[in-house]
C-alpha cells in the first residue's frame, strides 16, 4: 500500500475496525489439546491437517465453532434459551475475533422415513407451491401436494360468547392433504411374518413373544398377560378366533395392571408403532436383524411408492405431476423448470432454479428429490447441507467443513475446491479439516496438529504456507507428496463371483465377474453405482462381512472395550480370579459408583445455561465403587485396566497370570487398525471420525466370513494411516480372504490386484462397467476418468 499521496500528504491511518483480521485462540485444552495458542487469518481458506485423533476437530469444531454458537445463543432472551440446546463454554483461556460460524459437518441427515432430499433442502416446499398455483386441475393449497399432511375433516357444535350471551353454532372444517392414506406418506407398506413375532407352541407366561424387548417377565409382556383379554397360561395355538384377534389386532384401550392405568393394544399395531415406524438404517443391529427376518417391505400399491394421493398425482403442469418431478434426476428437473415461463410465479421459479442448479454445481445432479435422506452417504449429506449456503448473500461468516472430500472421486474434488474458493472470495473465513493432498493444495494457510494421536497429539506442529509444510518435517509434511506405485505383480484369483443382470438403482443390467482371493477395488465418480453393485449383488449374510459408512453410535458410557465386546472376557477373567459376579466389573451395572452412577462425573443442571460436569469426589472419576477396586487381576484393578492404551493392554493379556486369549485377540485387531494409542475406557464421544471408522473395522474383522466388503475404509484417515490400512488389507487377502473395497483413494486403487470401474458419469449417465482389469492396464489405457486421474497420481 502506498504511504503517500501525490501532493505529499500522509495516507490516513487504517480504521480501527480493519485491524480485526485474526481469530485468536489462547490456551485451548478441549479433549487432547495441550494449551494450544494460535492465530487464524480471517477471510482466508485455512486447512487443518494431522493424523486421525491429533486434535483437529477438537480445535476447529469443539473450540472455535462451539464458542461462536454459544455466544450467538446468548444473544437470545433467557426464555428462548430455555428451549435451545445448552452449549458449555469450551476449555480455553481466550477466544477473540470470532464471527458467526456455520458448521457443515458429515452427520447424516434425519433418518425419518418421510425425510427426503427434497424436504431437507426446501426444494419440495417450492415445488408444492408451484403446483398449487399452476397445476391443472386445481386441487387446493400447497398442503394438498405434501405427503406429510393427511386429509382430515370434522364437524360439531361450538360455544361462542357474543354480546354477553352464550351462542351455540355448528362449525365444520376440512384439510386437504397429499398423504397417501394406505402407506401414510412412507411410500412402502410392510407385510409381517407372524411366526417371527411369537412361538405359538408356548403361552405368554412361557415367553411366547419373540419380539426384541418382550422378555418373559418384562413389563411389555405383563401388559398382555394382565390385560384380562388373554389367558397367560394357554398356548397361543389354542386361542379362540376372538382371543387371537385381541392378541394381534385389538384397538388401543385403557386397562389396569397392578393398580396402574396403562394402554393395551394388539401386538401388530404395537410393533408397527414402536419399531416399524423408524428408519431401518437408524435401528440398533439386533432390532434391524429382527425387522429383516420378520418384515418384507414393498412399494405401496395405491400410490406406486410416490407417497401421494391420487388427487395430488392428477394435477399436472405441461403433462408432469409433482410425483413425476420428484422422481426425475435433479439435473433433468432443473432443465424442465428452466423451460417454465409464467410471470405470475417468476420469483418462485427463480428461487427453485437456483436451488436445483446448486445441486448440479455441487455434483449431486444425479440424485432425485424423492430419495430418502437416510440413504445418503456422509459426503452426500454434507454437500446437501452446503446447498443452502452457496447462493447466500451473507459475508464475513466462518464456514467450518469436516472433510468435504469424503465420498468424492478425484474428478469431483476439483469441483468441490472451486466451491470452497467461491465461499472464501465472497469475504468469508473458511476452515477445513482435511486429509486429501488435493484439498490441502488450495489452502491459503495450513495448520498441522500432532505429532501423534490421542495423548501423543494436541500440539501445533506447523502453521504457515503449503510450501513451508513440505519442508517442515512433520508427519503430514513427509507424507504430503507420497505417491503409491502401481502394483507390478498382482495376485492370481482363486475363483470368481458372477454378477448377472444387476439393476438396482441406476445399474443397467450389469454383468461382471468379481475375482475372489484378491484385493478388488470398485471405483467410479460419486453416483456411478458402486455401492448399488457391491451391496446389491453381494448381500451381507453367510460368509460375507460388510462394513459400510454408517457412523457408530454411542454415549459417553460407551467405550472401545464395550463396543468391541472386549469388556466381556475381561469381566469374566476378573470374576473368576476373585470368585465374584462378572456384573461387579461393569460401570453400567452392579459395580457402578453409587454417587455418579458409573458416569465418573456429576452433572448439575443450570436450566437455560450449560450444565456443569464435575469429577465425582467419591470415585475420583474411576466410575467404580470402592469395594470393586479391591479386586485385582494380574496386579491391576478394573479401572487401571480400562485406563491402559491398547498396546499396553495387548502385552498385559498376552502372557503370565493375566493371560486371556479372548481379550488378546480383540486387542490385536485394534492394534492392527492403528488404534494402539487409544485407552480401553475412552468414551466413544471423544473419538474422531477416523478413529470410529477404524474401531468399526476392527470389530468386524472378528466376524467369520470369507468375503470382506468395505465401503470407503480410508474415510477420516491421514496419509500415513492409509499405508497401515493397505498393510491390513494385504494381511486379510494373504490369510485367504477375498476383499472388495469401494474406494476413491488413488493409493488403494494402485495397490489393488483388480479394478472394476463404473461410469462413465453419475445417475442415469452411469450404471455401466467401463473398465475391468489390473491397475497397470487402467493407467496404460487412460480410457476413463478414473484411469486419467490414477495415471496423473502415479506419475505415469
Amino acid at each position: 500500500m502506498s504511504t503517500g499521496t501525490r501532493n505529499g500528504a500522509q495516507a490516513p491511518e487504517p480504521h480501527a475496525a480493519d485491524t480485526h483480521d485474526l481469530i485468536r485462540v489462547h490456551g485451548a485444552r478441549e479433549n487432547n489439546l495441550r494449551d494450544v495458542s494460535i492465530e487464524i487469518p480471517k477471510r482466508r481458506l485455512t486447512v487443518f491437517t494431522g493424523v486421525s485423533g491429533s486434535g483437529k476437530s477438537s480445535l476447529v469444531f469443539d473450540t472455535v465453532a462451539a464458542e461462536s454458537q454459544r455466544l450467538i445463543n446468548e444473544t437470545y432472551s433467557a426464555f428462548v434459551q430455555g428451549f435451545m440446546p445448552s452449549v458449555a463454554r469450551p476449555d480455553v483461556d481466550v477466544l477473540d475475533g470470532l464471527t458467526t460460524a456455520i458448521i457443515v459437518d458429515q452427520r447424516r441427515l434425519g433418518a425419518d422415513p418421510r425425510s427426503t432430499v427434497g424436504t431437507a433442502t426446501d426444494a419440495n416446499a417450492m415445488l408444492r407451491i408451484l403446483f398449487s398455483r399452476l397445476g391443472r386441475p386445481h386441487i387446493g393449497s400447497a398442503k394438498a401436494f405434501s405427503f406429510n399432511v393427511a386429509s382430515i375433516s370434522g364437524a360439531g357444535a361450538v360455544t361462542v360468547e357474543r354480546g354477553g350471551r352464550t351462542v351455540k353454532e355448528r362449525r365444520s372444517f376440512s384439510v386437504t392433504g397429499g398423504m397417501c392414506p394406505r402407506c401414510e406418506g412412507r411410500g412402502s407398506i410392510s407385510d409381517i411374518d407372524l411366526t417371527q413375532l411369537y412361538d405359538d407352541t408356548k403361552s405368554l407366561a412361557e415367553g411366547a413373544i419373540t419380539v426384541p424387548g418382550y422378555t418373559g417377565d418384562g413389563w411389555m409382556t405383563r401388559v398382555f398377560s394382565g390385560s384380562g383379554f388373554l389367558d397367560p397360561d394357554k398356548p397361543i395355538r389354542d386361542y379362540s378366533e376372538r382371543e387371537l384377534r385381541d392378541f394381534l389386532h385389538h384397538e388401543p384401550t385403557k386397562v389396569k395392571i397392578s393398580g396402574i392405568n396403562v394402554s393395551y393394544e394388539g401386538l401388530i399395531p404395537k410393533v408397527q408403532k414402536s419399531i416399524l415406524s423408524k428408519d431401518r438404517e437408524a435401528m440398533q443391529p439386533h432390532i434391524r436383524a429382527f425387522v429383516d427376518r420378520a418384515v418384507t417391505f414393498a412399494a405401496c400399491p395405491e400410490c406406486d411408492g410416490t407417497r401421494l394421493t391420487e388427487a395430488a398425482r392428477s394435477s399436472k403442469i405441461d403433462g408432469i405431476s409433482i410425483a413425476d418431478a420428484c422422481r426425475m434426476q435433479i439435473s433433468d428437473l432443473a432443465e424442465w423448470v428452466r423451460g417454465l415461463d409464467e410471470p405470475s410465479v417468476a420469483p418462485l421459479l427463480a428461487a427453485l432454479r437456483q436451488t436445483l442448479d446448486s445441486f448440479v454445481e455441487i455434483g449431486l445432479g444425479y440424485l432425485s428429490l424423492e430419495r430418502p435422506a437416510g440413504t445418503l452417504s456422509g459426503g452426500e449429506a454434507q454437500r446437501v447441507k452446503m446447498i443452502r449456503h452457496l447462493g447466500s448473500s451473507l459475508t464475513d461468516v466462518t464456514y467450518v467443513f469436516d472433510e468435504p472430500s469424503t465420498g468424492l472421486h478425484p474428478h469431483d474434488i476439483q469441483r468441490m475446491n472451486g466451491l470452497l474458493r467461491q465461499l472464501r472470495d465472497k469475504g468469508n473465513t473458511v476452515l477445513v479439516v482435511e486429509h486429501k493432498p488435493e484439498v490441502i493444495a488450495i489452502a491459503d494457510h495450513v495448520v498441522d496438529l500432532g505429532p501423534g494421536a490421542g495423548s501423543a497429539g494436541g500440539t501445533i506442529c506447523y502453521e504457515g504456507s503449503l510450501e513451508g509444510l513440505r519442508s517442515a518435517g512433520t508427519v503430514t509434511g513427509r507424507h504430503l507428496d507420497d505417491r503409491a506405485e502401481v502394483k507390478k505383480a498382482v495376485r492370481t484369483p482363486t475363483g470368481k463371483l458372477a454378477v448377472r443382470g444387476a439393476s438396482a438403482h441406476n445399474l443397467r443390467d450389469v454383468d461382471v465377474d468379481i475375482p475372489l482371493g484378491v484385493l478388488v477395488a470398485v471405483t467410479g465418480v460419486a453416483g456411478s453405482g458402486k455401492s448399488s453393485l457391491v451391496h446389491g449383488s453381494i448381500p451381507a449374510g453367510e460368509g460375507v462381512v460388510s462394513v459400510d459408512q454408517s457412523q457408530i453410535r454411542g454415549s459417553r458410557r460407551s467405550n472401545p472395550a464395550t463396543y468391541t465386546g472386549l469388556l466381556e472376557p475381561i469381566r469374566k477373567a476378573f470374576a473368576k480370579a476373585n470368585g465374584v459376579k462378572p456384573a461387579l466389573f461393569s460401570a453400567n451395572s452392579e459395580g457402578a459408583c453409587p454417587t455418579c452412577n458409573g458416569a465418573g462425573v456429576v452433572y448439575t443442571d443450570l436450566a437455560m445455561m450449560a450444565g456443569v460436569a464435575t469429577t465425582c469426589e467419591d470415585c475420583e472419576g474411576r466410575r467404580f465403587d470402592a469395594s470393586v477396586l479391591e479386586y485385582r487381576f494380574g496386579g491391576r484393578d478394573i479401572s487401571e485396566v480400562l485406563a491402559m492404551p491398547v498396546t499396553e493392554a495387548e502385552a498385559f493379556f498376552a502372557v503370565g497370570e493375566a493371560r486371556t486369549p479372548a481379550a488378546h485377540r480383540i486387542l490385536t485387531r485394534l492394534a492392527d487398525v492403528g488404534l494402539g494409542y487409544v485407552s480401553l475406557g475412552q468414551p466413544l464421544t471423544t473419538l474422531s471420525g477416523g478413529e470410529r471408522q477404524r474401531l468399526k473395522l476392527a470389530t468386524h474383522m472378528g466376524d467369520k466370513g470369507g468375503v470382506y466388503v468395505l465401503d470407503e475404509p480410508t474415510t477420516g484417515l491421514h496419509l500415513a494411516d492409509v499405508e497401515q490400512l493397505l498393510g491390513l488389507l494385504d494381511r486379510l487377502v494373504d490369510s485367504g480372504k477375498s476383499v472388495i473395497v469401494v474406494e476413491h483413494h488413488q493409493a488403494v486403487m494402485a495397490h489393488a490386484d483388480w479394478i472394476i470401474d463404473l461410469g462413465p458419469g453419475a445417475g442415469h449417465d452411469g450404471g455401466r462397467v467401463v473398465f475391468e482389469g489390473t491397475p497397470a492396464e487402467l493407467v496404460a489405457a487412460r480410457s476413463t476418468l478414473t484411469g486419467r486421474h490414477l495415471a496423473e497420481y502415479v506419475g505415469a
Side-chain angles (χ1 to χ4, degrees), residues 157-223:
V158 295
T159 304
V160 184
E161 290 283 340
R162 190 174 289 153
R165 292 185 306 118
T166 302
V167 181
K168 282 196 171 181
E169 293 181 357
R170 184 168 178 78
R171 297 266 179 94
S172 62
F173 74 95
S174 67
V175 174
T176 303
M179 179 190 288
C180 168
R182 174 79 187 273
C183 64
E184 296 183 343
R186 291 191 179 90
S188 63
I189 55 170
S190 53
D191 191 19
I192 298 175
D193 179 0
L194 297 181
T195 62
Q196 298 294 334
L197 298 189
Y198 60 86
D199 179 352
D200 66 357
T201 63
K202 294 180 180 177
S203 66
L204 290 171
E206 293 169 329
I209 302 177
T210 55
V211 178
Y214 288 73
T215 53
D217 56 349
W219 175 253
M220 308 288 268
T221 305
R222 279 176 62 195
V223 172

Side-chain angles (χ1 to χ4, degrees), residues 505-666:
H505 299 124
N506 66 330
L507 294 178
R508 302 191 176 187
D509 284 326
V510 168
D511 295 338
V512 66
D513 292 328
I514 302 174
L516 297 176
V518 296
L519 175 59
V520 179
V522 181
T523 61
V525 296
S528 58
K530 304 181 298 298
S531 295
S532 300
L533 176 67
V534 171
H535 295 303
S537 308
I538 315 169
E542 202 62 41
V544 177
V545 178
S546 183
V547 186
D548 60 16
Q549 290 183 48
S550 59
Q551 288 192 344
I552 64 175
R553 291 176 170 82
S555 67
R556 69 178 316 280
R557 285 180 175 272
S558 306
N559 52 51
T562 59
Y563 182 79
T564 58
L566 171 65
L567 192 58
E568 195 64 26
I570 291 176
R571 276 169 29 198
K572 286 179 178 173
F574 265 92
K576 187 176 179 183
N578 293 282
V580 293
K581 290 191 295 184
L584 282 175
F585 302 99
S586 169
N588 297 325
S589 187
E590 293 181 29
C593 164
T595 307
C596 62
N597 293 322
V601 291
V602 177
Y603 291 97
T604 307
D605 184 13
L606 298 177
M608 79 283 181
M609 299 183 75
V612 176
T614 51
T615 303
C616 175
E617 292 181 5
D618 286 4
C619 68
E620 296 177 340
R622 286 183 291 203
R623 303 175 61 197
F624 290 90
D625 186 56
S627 60
V628 175
L629 299 179
E630 292 174 10
Y631 299 115
R632 303 183 87 74
F633 177 64
R636 308 282 184 102
D637 65 41
I638 184 68
S639 70
E640 289 171 336
V641 168
L642 290 176
M644 287 182 182
V646 166
T647 44
E648 186 184 334
E650 186 185 11
F652 177 74
F653 287 108
V655 290
E657 183 192 342
R659 185 174 178 273
T660 312
H664 186 257
R665 275 195 300 275
I666 297 172

Side-chain angles (χ1 to χ4, degrees), residues 26-44:
H26 290 285
R29 292 175 294 276
E30 199 66 27
N31 296 328
N32 67 331
L33 296 180
R34 301 185 184 183
D35 267 328
V36 165
S37 296
I38 186 172
E39 295 183 341
I40 304 167
K42 286 186 186 176
R43 294 175 284 283
R44 295 291 182 273

Side-chain angles (χ1 to χ4, degrees), residues 3 46 82 100 150 250 369 554 571 619 747:
T3 55
T46 302
T100 303
H250 201 288
L369 294 183
R571 276 169 29 198
C619 68

